[in-house]
Amino acid sequence: MTSQSGLRDILHFSHANGFPAGSYQILLDQLAEHYDVKTIDRLGHQPQYPVTDNWTQLEKELTHYFEQNYSRPVIAVGHSLGGLLSYMVARNRPDLIKGLIMLDSPVLTPMQAFGFKMLKRLNLSDRVTPAGRTDGRRQHWADQQEAMDYFSGKSLMKRFHPESLRHYVNAGTEWVDANDPAKGVRLRFDPETEMNIYRTIPHNVRSDKPLAMPSAVIGGRNSDVFWPMNGARMKSKVGMKVRWLPGGHMFPLEKPRETAELIHQLLGEML
């Protein structure tokens, strides 16, 4: 998509927790046919932006990246963690964002927000987030093929597009020692960081007034994260377009081409 200046619009994509940006290569390649696509490889891995409650430093990481790397407002697209962080930047720094699309990223209703605030105070958030499943997760394999076999059996990933799974393993693992392949591969996304991100999900993000830019959210019809009540509130209070695609919370990696098509369609309607 070309802006009024004659330049292609910059589309910055932000990934979900635990899934480096390279995991979304099919989606990103398709979007790159229309936009100048940019990413941050792994959010939450820079020491100057530690994971804190309500993701205050992670929001700063994304804000500062936009400030330092882009000379004009960008289209912000994000999945899960990346979608909510993009929303937070759009809410607090609307000058940086031209349009916003969130992928299965709920802005909590007031009741949900109060409940999660209480769970965090009681150290019970692991009961309702994937943090509990992340604790003790396997981190090491003999090679990428063994990692592929392992992840293909996981319920979260068993419906991934086959190439999305390959891209996730390529982006999400690294050699323990590049000079000694016998030492195998390990996860690149730090599991402790992943757990902390789940445990500090924001309970203070406002959803009571419209954003300053066009925005939309795409939900998975079978998602256990983004519910119809979240979509209804984001439509009525924030003024967002709401669309749905088949699949669960990970639909951008299950149906990456369909997701890219709908993103491009929505941007054509919005901008």
Side-chain angles (χ1 to χ4, degrees), residues 138 140-151 166 169 173-175 181-186:
R138 184 175 176 182
H140 182 270
W141 298 268
D143 52 33
Q144 286 193 332
Q145 186 57 54
E146 185 180 65
M148 278 279 293
D149 295 340
Y150 172 81
F151 286 117
R166 172 64 68 184
V169 172
T173 63
E174 62 186 358
W175 293 108
K183 292 183 178 178
V185 298
R186 63 188 172 194

Side-chain angles (χ1 to χ4, degrees), residues 18-112:
F19 292 85
S23 309
Y24 299 84
Q25 201 59 53
I26 300 174
L27 171 67
L28 300 180
D29 285 347
Q30 189 157 330
L31 289 172
E33 296 176 6
H34 309 285
Y35 310 94
D36 185 6
V37 175
K38 306 292 185 181
T39 65
I40 295 175
D41 176 42
R42 290 175 299 167
L43 290 160
H45 285 67
Q46 300 299 320
Q48 65 269 41
Y49 303 110
V51 180
T52 56
D53 194 26
N54 294 319
W55 297 351
T56 53
Q57 293 300 312
L58 297 183
E59 180 187 353
K60 286 183 181 178
E61 179 179 7
L62 191 57
T63 299
H64 291 168
Y65 192 89
F66 286 3
E67 290 175 335
Q68 295 163 12
N69 290 276
Y70 306 134
S71 60
R72 51 198 167 100
V74 304
I75 297 167
V77 179
H79 178 210
S80 194
L81 160 73
L84 188 54
L85 285 177
S86 298
Y87 177 91
M88 292 161 69
V89 175
R91 176 67 72 196
N92 295 320
R93 287 295 307 275
D95 57 303
L96 297 175
I97 295 183
K98 178 177 182 176
L100 169 70
I101 294 186
M102 303 165 71
L103 307 177
D104 223 70
S105 303
V107 179
L108 301 181
T109 67
M111 186 66 71
Q112 288 174 320

Side-chain angles (χ1 to χ4, degrees), residues 164-220:
S164 291
L165 184 61
R166 172 64 68 184
H167 290 148
Y168 166 67
V169 172
N170 288 342
T173 63
E174 62 186 358
W175 293 108
V176 173
D177 183 345
N179 296 315
D180 187 1
K183 292 183 178 178
V185 298
R186 63 188 172 194
L187 287 176
R188 290 184 64 242
F189 204 103
D190 176 50
E192 189 70 27
T193 298
E194 185 177 350
M195 282 191 294
N196 288 337
I197 288 172
Y198 285 129
R199 289 169 175 162
T200 55
I201 290 172
H203 63 262
N204 64 344
V205 177
R206 296 182 61 184
S207 63
D208 56 356
K209 65 177 183 179
L211 290 170
M213 73 291 296
S215 60
V217 59
I218 304 172

Side-chain angles (χ1 to χ4, degrees), residues 106-132:
V107 179
L108 301 181
T109 67
M111 186 66 71
Q112 288 174 320
F114 177 78
F116 199 72
K117 179 180 179 180
M118 293 299 102
L119 287 171
K120 287 196 285 186
R121 284 188 178 180
L122 297 170
N123 294 318
L124 296 175
S125 57
D126 286 11
R127 297 190 179 185
V128 296
T129 75

